[in-house]
Amino acid sequence: AQKITQTQPGMFVQEKEAVTLDCTYDTSDQSYGLFWYKQPSSGEMIFLIYQGSYDEQNATEGRYSLNFQKARKSANLVISASQLGDSAMYFCAMRELRRAAGNKLTFGGGTRVLVKP
Amino acid sequence: ETGVTQSPTHLIKTRGQQVTLRCSSQSGHNTVSWYQQALGQGPQFIFQYYREEENGRGNFPPRFSGLQFPNYSSELNVNALELDDSALYLCASSRDRGNYNEQFFGPGTRLTVL
């Protein structure tokens, strides 16, 4: 069974600084995808970044980068140059990439980020 | 915005009642997944529908059921509501099942069971 662990329930970060959100995962599958989502208070889950288990380079999307360490089974999200609008819940999620697994995402418990001006 | 819509946005029911939640998927998407997110927790997968058939189910009892229509919109039905069913219910649509593809989430329906 897949499991995602986010050990930081909440974090404060100063505006314009970088913040790293931790995510460790457990799976017996060789082929999987790792996702990060942002959830503002409105409730909608916003896709941020994706890393495939066979991707050799760390994923980057604008101010978001994923520090993927496969041997350690970690997929930490780095947000650079934090903005006030980055204040939200952040979820790490995993999906098996076998067709039979469908699109089921397994989520961690989330980390709440509050950006201070 | 993702183009995925859900209705209603909020709902209050009492124990034992039945509820139907609705989701309209993004244009061109044939797969819809439903998630339950209890307060302060991450979402949990309920089930997925692909081309009108259930295609994967999480650890939820049979009183959670669903439908997908020919236009790929979907319904989540919950019978015999319990207090623990109070949660945000999210649906997500995608172009296909399996392989990497981005799932687009709707804004959710917040269900309160009294």
Side-chain angles (χ1 to χ4, degrees), chain A residues 3-57:
Chain A
K3 186 178 180 181
I4 299 285
T5 302
Q6 296 180 252
T7 57
Q8 306 152 310
M11 298 185 71
F12 286 100
V13 60
Q14 201 66 42
E15 192 178 10
K16 300 181 183 178
E17 291 187 349
V19 61
T20 298
L21 308 184
D22 295 340
C23 172
T24 57
Y25 61 90
D26 190 20
T27 181
S28 57
D29 292 303
Q30 297 300 312
S31 182
Y32 51 88
L34 295 158
F35 300 76
W36 277 92
Y37 285 88
K38 172 184 178 181
Q39 187 178 43
S41 56
S42 60
E44 188 169 347
M45 301 290 277
I46 302 169
F47 167 76
L48 296 178
I49 196 167
Y50 168 82
Q51 179 87 40
S53 58
Y54 291 113
D55 293 341
E56 294 185 352
Q57 292 193 334

Side-chain angles (χ1 to χ4, degrees), chain A residues 35 37 39 41-47 50 89 91 95 97-110, chain B residues 2 31 33 35 37 40-43 45 48 50 55 88 90 94 96-103 105-107:
Chain A
F35 300 76
Y37 285 88
Q39 187 178 43
S41 56
S42 60
E44 188 169 347
M45 301 290 277
I46 302 169
F47 167 76
Y50 168 82
M89 283 291 289
F91 290 96
R95 206 187 85 201
L97 296 183
R98 295 178 291 111
R99 195 163 186 86
N103 291 343
K104 174 188 174 183
L105 286 168
T106 300
F107 285 86
Chain B
T2 63
T31 303
S33 302
Y35 293 83
Q37 186 178 18
Q41 298 181 21
F45 176 76
Q48 173 184 292
Y50 171 69
N55 172 239
L88 179 68
L90 296 163
S94 55
D96 200 358
R97 60 180 178 171
N99 297 321
Y100 164 62
N101 51 58
E102 189 176 331
Q103 291 189 57
F105 281 84

Side-chain angles (χ1 to χ4, degrees), chain A residues 41-43, chain B residues 4-12 19-23 87-90 106-112:
Chain A
S41 56
S42 60
Chain B
V4 179
T5 61
Q6 292 186 243
S7 63
T9 53
H10 295 84
L11 201 54
I12 299 175
V19 69
T20 297
L21 310 182
R22 295 177 175 83
C23 172
L88 179 68
Y89 289 84
L90 296 163
T109 293
R110 190 166 297 281
L111 173 65
T112 301

Side-chain angles (χ1 to χ4, degrees), chain B residues 19-53:
Chain B
V19 69
T20 297
L21 310 182
R22 295 177 175 83
C23 172
S24 291
S25 58
Q26 184 163 330
S27 177
H29 287 185
N30 57 17
T31 303
V32 173
S33 302
W34 286 91
Y35 293 83
Q36 181 196 65
Q37 186 178 18
L39 193 63
Q41 298 181 21
Q44 290 198 328
F45 176 76
I46 302 174
F47 46 55
Q48 173 184 292
Y49 277 82
Y50 171 69
R51 294 187 176 179
E52 302 180 55
E53 291 195 0

